[in-house]
Amino acid sequence: MKSEEFFIEAKKYLPGGVNSPVRAYKPYPFFAKHGKGSILFDVDGNDYIDYCLAYGPLVLGHANFKIINDIKKQLEQGTAFGVPTQKEMELAKLVIEKVPCAEMVRFVNSGTEATMSAIRLARASTGKKKIIKFEGSYHGAHDYVLVKSGSGAVGLPDSPGVPEDTTKNTVLIPFNDEETLLDLIKKEDDIAAIIVEPVMANIGCIAPKNGYLKFLRKITEENSIILIFDEVITGFRIAEGGAQEYYDVKPDLVTLGKILGGGFPMGALAGKKELMEMIAPSGSVYQAGTFNGNPISVTAGLSMLKQLNNNFYVQMDKKGDYLRTLIREILDDNNLNFKLAGLSSMFQIYFTQNEVYDYKDAKTADTDIFNRYFHELLKKGVFVPPSQFECCFISLMHGEEEMDRTAQIMEDHLKKLK
Ligand SMILES: *Cc1c(COP(=O)(O)O)cnc(C)c1O
């Protein structure tokens, strides 16, 4: 019962008892004690096969031995310097080696900071004001991108406190829809950038239609618009070079985070040299941070990225296929027409009969069914993110035994929905 008591107390000191809203589900979230491999342990003595994995960063599972060892050594050398280090340069080189569009890198502290800076840079380099974002895409918690709903026109803020003056420059369109974008581009000539999650992973998991990302590349090139891939989730997850390698489309700028920091807070902005050199101090586009390139985060990131080779991605794809095949069989065997989405080590079940290509389709999912599914899995020791509109992740430490057990638990519950 400790989690319940902690939560009651936490609510006195932290808004809603948590430090990020998705963590607060009803009646109370479990409080973590420690994690090991694919398993997360709570303070109440339970353990869970973890498909949330801190919302994406932990591709190698919890408490990766090598990362921990490398950090321990760095800790003894100091934790923040405010001057450059050799390791920042090494990590930048590694990112540039792996990520096709990356010619230079700026390290920041979160994905939010990365997209904020990428948008500023795109505006500065084009001299244009507006940005296009897709309905249901998430690019962090800052004002420019906190616009989700609305009907294709000028965006209304998603949160009180965000001035309409800010979001009026954020134009929303549906994902996977070429027509709407073509129409918009004809009418608008003040568009600095398109920012896109190449695989939408904050509204469940929506892959781009065949050729859609190439279409975005073509349209942006023809209209002098900066193409920003927000690969905070897909970066280092679906291929060494992220979605841009997976789908063979090179954006102008990429934002990275989550996996990049090896389990520590970090983000990055990378891309074409001529753009990146506009960032201060080599250029005049301001970006700064006390903890940018923090030696602990950088050490963890180096340790992480060095472990992610080609063979790693072959294994991750296999694991994803294995679990998705099991889930597909459960749905088929029980005549459940729910939609299974995902690729590589990402997946989600949409509790809808509709095909899911965009935000509007995803929103047809029955969240009551999802909530029952979530709680039933949790009770049986499987932790998926507590929202229909998050994406589930697999780590290298998820073996067939864990995935078989997961599928069994899913089936026990899902067959009751027939
Ligand atoms: C998580 C996420 C962000 C924000 O990253 P933070 O580190 O949480 O600020 C931005 N973009 C995408 C696609 C994300 O999934």
Side-chain angles (χ1 to χ4, degrees):
M1 287 317 257
K2 277 192 195 152
S3 289
E4 187 172 12
E5 287 156 23
F6 283 162
F7 190 58
I8 290 167
E9 200 176 357
K11 279 194 281 193
K12 295 186 207 158
Y13 310 115
L14 302 164
V18 293
N19 275 303
S20 199
V22 71
R23 297 177 196 172
Y25 54 82
K26 286 190 170 87
Y28 59 88
F30 72 80
F31 278 53
K33 184 150 181 259
H34 64 110
K36 184 150 181 47
S38 62
I39 308 294
L40 186 52
F41 297 83
D42 73 10
V43 293
D44 308 297
N46 304 305
D47 51 81
Y48 308 90
I49 306 172
D50 189 2
Y51 293 94
C52 181
L53 294 166
Y55 293 90
L58 308 179
V59 266
L60 297 174
H62 293 276
N64 176 260
F65 179 76
K66 190 148 188 334
I67 296 179
I68 304 241
N69 257 349
D70 288 348
I71 294 165
K72 276 185 185 160
K73 283 187 224 142
Q74 178 59 46
L75 277 173
E76 285 168 6
Q77 307 290 315
T79 58
F81 304 125
V83 300
T85 62
Q86 184 182 347
K87 280 186 183 170
E88 286 165 79
M89 188 250 302
E90 280 172 19
L91 183 60
K93 268 168 80 175
L94 199 54
V95 169
I96 289 164
E97 250 171 58
K98 285 175 185 275
V99 180
C101 84
E103 295 172 11
M104 290 186 111
V105 189
R106 165 62 55 94
F107 291 116
V108 295
N109 301 294
S110 66
T112 296
E113 287 177 40
T115 63
M116 195 169 72
S117 307
I119 290 168
R120 180 179 297 160
L121 179 56
R123 284 177 166 149
S125 72
T126 57
K128 297 190 274 187
K129 259 208 308 278
K130 298 200 165 156
I131 57 163
I132 292 177
K133 125 177 224 307
F134 294 90
E135 289 166 356
S137 71
Y138 180 70
H139 305 294
H142 61 87
D143 285 9
Y144 300 147
V145 289
L146 268 190
V147 208
K148 213 171 328 180
S149 44
S151 48
V154 171
L156 288 175
D158 243 8
S159 162
V162 177
E164 276 179 39
D165 283 348
T166 310
T167 54
K168 73 173 189 225
N169 289 315
T170 304
V171 187
L172 286 173
I173 55 166
F175 190 57
N176 273 329
D177 171 354
E178 301 193 2
E179 285 306 305
T180 310
L181 179 57
L182 286 171
D183 287 349
L184 179 70
I185 302 257
K186 268 187 225 142
K187 287 188 298 210
E188 278 285 354
D189 56 6
D190 198 24
I191 296 164
I194 294 183
I195 183 163
V196 61
E197 287 181 74
V199 176
M200 296 250 278
N202 286 281
I203 185 73
C205 185
I206 307 179
K209 280 187 186 164
N210 230 336
Y212 186 68
L213 297 175
K214 287 204 154 78
F215 160 78
L216 292 182
R217 178 67 284 185
K218 181 164 169 287
I219 275 291
T220 47
E221 246 159 26
E222 286 169 1
N223 292 278
S224 308
I225 295 169
I226 300 286
L227 181 61
I228 306 170
F229 273 12
D230 181 355
E231 297 223 43
V232 171
I233 286 202
T234 51
F236 312 114
R237 175 160 288 279
I238 63 176
E240 257 192 287
Q244 50 194 282
E245 176 187 325
Y246 194 94
Y247 293 104
D248 189 24
V249 176
K250 214 157 117 180
D252 302 298
L253 292 173
V254 63
T255 53
L256 298 163
K258 296 193 169 117
I259 294 169
L260 173 69
F264 280 76
M266 179 150 62
L269 158 67
K272 284 194 178 145
K273 192 168 177 170
E274 74 224 45
L275 288 172
M276 293 300 295
E277 282 191 324
M278 294 180 72
I279 297 175
S282 70
S284 55
V285 178
Y286 198 67
Q287 203 297 317
T290 301
F291 288 108
N292 282 4
N294 173 265
I296 304 297
S297 297
V298 164
T299 300
L302 266 175
S303 186
M304 171 74 95
L305 295 201
K306 281 182 184 163
Q307 295 181 66
L308 309 183
N309 53 21
N310 242 330
N311 178 47
F312 166 82
Y313 292 96
V314 172
Q315 289 186 61
M316 294 295 270
D317 286 353
K318 272 202 195 131
K319 286 175 193 291
D321 287 340
Y322 185 82
L323 184 56
R324 279 189 302 271
T325 303
L326 293 177
I327 299 174
R328 160 78 35 233
E329 281 167 9
I330 295 169
L331 295 178
D332 289 350
D333 290 351
N334 293 284
N335 288 318
L336 291 164
N337 189 22
F338 299 134
K339 294 296 178 270
L340 174 64
L343 57 108
S344 186
S345 56
M346 302 163 70
F347 69 96
Q348 181 59 296
I349 305 172
Y350 284 107
F351 290 99
T352 177
Q353 321 284 327
N354 298 13
E355 298 295 333
V356 178
Y357 295 113
D358 63 14
Y359 174 78
K360 158 181 67 50
D361 300 334
K363 283 291 185 175
T364 63
D366 187 328
T367 52
D368 290 336
I369 299 184
F370 177 87
N371 287 337
R372 285 201 296 278
Y373 159 84
F374 164 73
H375 281 288
E376 191 58 29
L377 261 55
L378 194 66
K379 220 166 32 187
K380 300 282 163 57
V382 172
F383 179 45
V384 295
S387 161
Q388 169 74 89
F389 305 114
E390 295 287 341
C391 179
C392 302
F393 300 107
I394 300 168
S395 83
L396 188 67
M397 304 309 284
H398 286 66
E400 289 188 2
E401 190 269 319
E402 283 95 351
M403 293 193 279
D404 288 341
R405 188 143 48 94
T406 302
Q408 188 58 57
I409 290 166
M410 284 179 174
E411 175 154 34
D412 290 345
H413 174 65
L414 290 175
K415 71 183 180 201
K416 289 187 235 151
L417 298 178
K418 264 201 282 198

